[in-house]
Amino acid sequence: MYFVLTTQDTTDLAIESKAALVRFQIHVTKNDFPLRVVARMVTVRAIIDFLFINRDLLVTQPITGPKLTDIAQKQWDTAFESWKILRAGELSDPYIRFWLQSALDRRP
């Protein structure tokens, strides 16, 4: 979903999930100037927050069918709980500020 919301290349709209995950990992771990790393992390954080907040609008629910929607809901709930932990820890404003300060202090 990150690439769907951020891409300017329409071929990204059909990217397979494994390839998207690899690309996302490369994108978020790319070594760069500290401020650019922070900007990228804050952007990723905002987009994922947006996805969770607007989940009901972004995911089409089948009107009838098997109980797969229950499984999907459990997966969303599990992912959201994991996200909240990450968001409160390594992606929190104080942690990002600490990382940025550390990165700037290490510059020659």
Side-chain angles (χ1 to χ4, degrees):
M1 285 299 295
Y2 178 82
F3 290 116
V4 169
L5 295 175
T6 61
T7 190
Q8 295 181 11
D9 183 354
T10 56
T11 60
D12 288 339
L13 300 177
I15 193 169
E16 292 184 11
S17 60
K18 287 182 182 180
L21 178 59
V22 169
R23 230 172 101 203
F24 181 75
Q25 290 170 332
I26 291 168
H27 175 70
V28 297
T29 60
K30 184 170 56 172
N31 194 15
D32 209 335
F33 297 109
L35 286 175
R36 290 186 69 167
V37 172
V38 167
R40 195 165 40 249
M41 287 298 95
V42 171
T43 302
V44 167
R45 183 180 74 182
I47 289 170
I48 294 173
D49 281 344
F50 174 81
L51 289 170
F52 279 115
I53 290 166
N54 295 289
R55 179 211 179 265
D56 293 335
L57 294 173
L58 300 170
V59 176
T60 306
Q61 295 289 334
I63 297 171
T64 60
K67 293 289 183 180
L68 292 177
T69 54
D70 294 346
I71 294 170
Q73 181 60 46
K74 289 177 184 174
Q75 290 172 337
W76 272 95
D77 292 343
T78 300
F80 186 52
E81 291 305 314
S82 296
W83 173 248
K84 288 192 296 189
I85 292 167
L86 184 61
R87 179 75 166 76
E90 290 89 347
L91 289 177
S92 66
D93 287 341
Y95 192 94
I96 290 173
R97 180 180 169 82
F98 174 78
W99 180 89
L100 177 59
Q101 187 63 59
S102 298
L104 292 175
D105 290 346
R106 287 192 305 267
R107 290 186 323 179

